[in-house]
Amino acid sequence: MLWLLPIRLQSSRCRKVTTNRFDFMDTKVLKPTKENISYCAELIKGGEVVGMPTETVYGLAANAFDEAAVEKIFKVKNRPADNPLIVHIADIDMLKELAVDIPDIALSVCKKFWPGPITLVLPKSDKIPFITSGGLDTVGIRLPSNEVARELIKACGLPLAAPSANLSGSPSPTTAEHVFDDLNGRIYAILDGGRCSVGVESTVISFESDIIRLLRPGRISVDDLKTVASEVIIDKGVLDVISNDSKVKSPGMKYKHYSPKADVVLVDGSIEFFERYVSERNSADTYVLIFDNDNISDDIKSIRYGSTSEQQAERIFAVLREIDKIGAKKVYARCPSKDGVGLAVYNRMIRAAGFKVIKEGD
Ligand code: TXA
Ligand code: MG
């Protein structure tokens, strides 16, 4: 099938986007065939942004070297300019072009966990524009394991800057449909790679000599990281509230995230405590988020989000989107375990709840 490139592409490469208004674009959801991957690569090389599947969540991809294209990412998502983007590569050789002074421990992490769901924050090379790094001297780099993502990067022959492909503040997208729901009319194409297998965004780490600092938890867990580092520090921003004007190690920590419109409260305790607590507050537009193996009264409307931490990670964002679709006003959620990838689920859930936690025994 022959696709015609949209006319505005041809002159857009160096053009600055200066307003948040969009000409309505016909957003195509495309199967990841060779042809469609080439079409999307042409869009990206022409300065456009494209929805791309990865194993974690869908990304909104553009040429990481093209300032005008990267600016479009910020406009499309309505993202604060100081929140840096992760740059995606298809092979480890690309790393040396993008980062400098790479410590040995970073190379050990790459060797062990790439391709995969982990992002390394490293001193950036001059090739990375400051708009991509959110004004920082460092850049986050990731080599995804998702084949479609890697094929797209290879077809472009460029590193791709890609934040999660949601509107800023809303839950990250784990299907092409989620991307369409948020960005329909704002982008030309979404490559549909099916449901993301991990379901939460990559683990983000930085390095302090031989020590790893965890900036955002993900599928690669603290225990996984301890197999390559003498010490792993969990940054304060992973579990605590960060005020909007404070200086943080990873700017994404301070922004409101993953929030459904409903008021979410996390309830930390046994299922008996949970059921008692919710029963006393149950009303027509109240829902609970519980685990697959929880038994709870039929009078309480429930949505289940898995039993293992891996399943909870895979489903959490879809469930947070569903909450809004069904029009829930108040949601009480069972508190996930903080072990392994559970720490990532907890980190996303506590933000969805705006840090409102009720503890059994308090
Ligand atoms: O799994 C993922 O990481 C997905 C997929 C698309 O790869 N991407 C993603 O991007 O989650 P985004 O932009 O939604 O989240 C990136 C996070 C933000 O919290 C940002 O602040 C942090 O990584 N980050 C990026 N570059 C950084 C840097 N140079 N220093 C500190 N934090 C950085
Ligand atoms: Mg995001």
Side-chain angles (χ1 to χ4, degrees):
M1 201 189 312
L2 196 79
W3 294 98
L4 288 178
L5 285 183
I7 293 164
R8 44 179 277 150
L9 275 186
Q10 293 157 16
S11 62
S12 65
R13 194 178 164 83
C14 299
R15 209 188 54 198
K16 289 258 173 202
V17 180
T18 48
T19 75
N20 260 337
R21 292 175 55 240
F22 297 92
D23 300 334
F24 190 85
M25 299 174 188
D26 178 18
T27 305
K28 292 195 165 64
V29 178
L30 304 171
K31 294 230 149 40
T33 59
K34 246 183 142 162
E35 250 177 355
N36 287 337
I37 290 174
S38 303
Y39 168 68
C40 289
E42 289 310 311
L43 283 173
I44 289 172
K45 287 192 277 180
E48 279 302 328
V49 299
V50 162
M52 153 182 98
T54 83
E55 69 278 22
T56 55
V57 302
Y58 275 72
L60 184 62
N63 175 357
F65 296 146
D66 180 341
E67 294 187 25
V70 170
E71 192 179 353
K72 280 187 192 172
I73 293 182
F74 284 93
K75 301 275 187 211
V76 166
K77 272 185 64 90
N78 207 6
R79 179 180 175 103
D82 70 346
N83 197 359
L85 307 180
I86 292 173
V87 176
H88 298 68
I89 58 178
D91 60 65
I92 200 146
D93 290 341
M94 284 173 110
L95 175 66
K96 310 215 166 83
E97 204 190 338
L98 309 176
V100 294
D101 304 330
I102 304 171
D104 286 346
I105 181 163
L107 295 173
S108 306
V109 171
C110 299
K111 212 164 149 204
K112 179 129 196 198
F113 301 113
W114 274 1
I118 185 159
T119 297
L120 282 63
V121 173
L122 294 165
K124 80 174 191 68
S125 76
D126 291 341
K127 285 194 131 186
I128 298 286
F130 280 108
I131 186 166
T132 302
S133 70
L136 300 176
D137 293 325
T138 55
V139 59
I141 304 179
R142 175 160 112 78
L143 200 169
S145 61
N146 183 286
E147 289 293 337
V148 178
R150 292 226 301 273
E151 287 305 317
L152 180 66
I153 301 165
K154 278 190 221 152
C156 293
L158 291 163
L160 300 184
S164 49
N166 52 307
L167 288 174
S168 266
S170 78
S172 287
T174 52
T175 64
E177 195 187 347
H178 294 161
V179 182
F180 188 85
D181 287 347
D182 275 17
L183 304 183
N184 178 25
R186 294 173 176 236
I187 58 178
Y188 287 113
I190 302 164
L191 278 172
D192 185 353
R195 186 184 298 276
C196 301
S197 58
V198 174
V200 285
E201 307 91 335
S202 60
T203 305
V204 179
I205 57 171
S206 63
F207 303 94
E208 291 161 19
S209 57
D210 274 353
I211 298 169
I212 289 180
R213 178 177 289 275
L214 178 71
L215 300 175
R216 182 177 70 181
R219 177 64 171 266
I220 307 296
S221 66
V222 172
D223 284 343
D224 293 332
L225 295 172
K226 282 186 179 157
T227 63
V228 285
S230 56
E231 199 184 331
V232 178
I233 298 171
I234 301 181
D235 195 86
K236 209 172 152 345
V238 168
L239 295 172
D240 293 343
V241 195
I242 302 283
S243 77
N244 260 8
D245 47 8
S246 60
K247 192 149 174 45
V248 291
K249 299 253 191 252
S250 182
M253 287 172 171
K254 65 187 182 187
Y255 293 108
K256 194 163 184 263
H257 261 312
Y258 320 119
S259 350
K261 292 179 192 77
D263 184 31
V264 181
V265 177
L266 207 52
V267 182
D268 191 354
S270 63
I271 183 67
E272 292 76 21
F273 171 74
F274 182 85
E275 182 164 12
R276 222 174 30 247
Y277 187 86
V278 177
S279 299
E280 286 162 11
R281 293 161 179 83
N282 199 17
S283 72
D285 39 25
T286 297
Y287 285 78
V288 294
L289 281 186
I290 55 176
F291 307 140
D292 285 357
N293 45 352
D294 284 339
N295 285 320
I296 200 163
S297 153
D298 290 342
D299 297 340
I300 302 170
K301 291 191 282 302
S302 61
I303 302 173
R304 294 180 185 268
Y305 77 112
S307 39
T308 65
S309 294
E310 284 74 17
Q311 289 167 350
Q312 289 164 20
E314 197 193 328
R315 291 196 215 158
I316 183 171
F317 287 131
V319 157
L320 291 176
R321 282 173 181 262
E322 193 183 333
I323 285 172
D324 280 343
K325 277 209 170 134
I326 58 180
K329 295 267 177 331
K330 189 89 193 182
V331 174
Y332 296 99
R334 284 271 269 147
C335 189
S337 141
K338 293 176 201 132
D339 294 335
V341 69
L343 184 66
V345 181
Y346 178 80
N347 168 274
R348 303 330 186 251
M349 192 63 107
I350 201 169
R351 281 167 172 73
F355 291 87
K356 292 188 290 296
V357 185
I358 303 296
K359 275 208 168 87
E360 182 170 10
D362 271 6

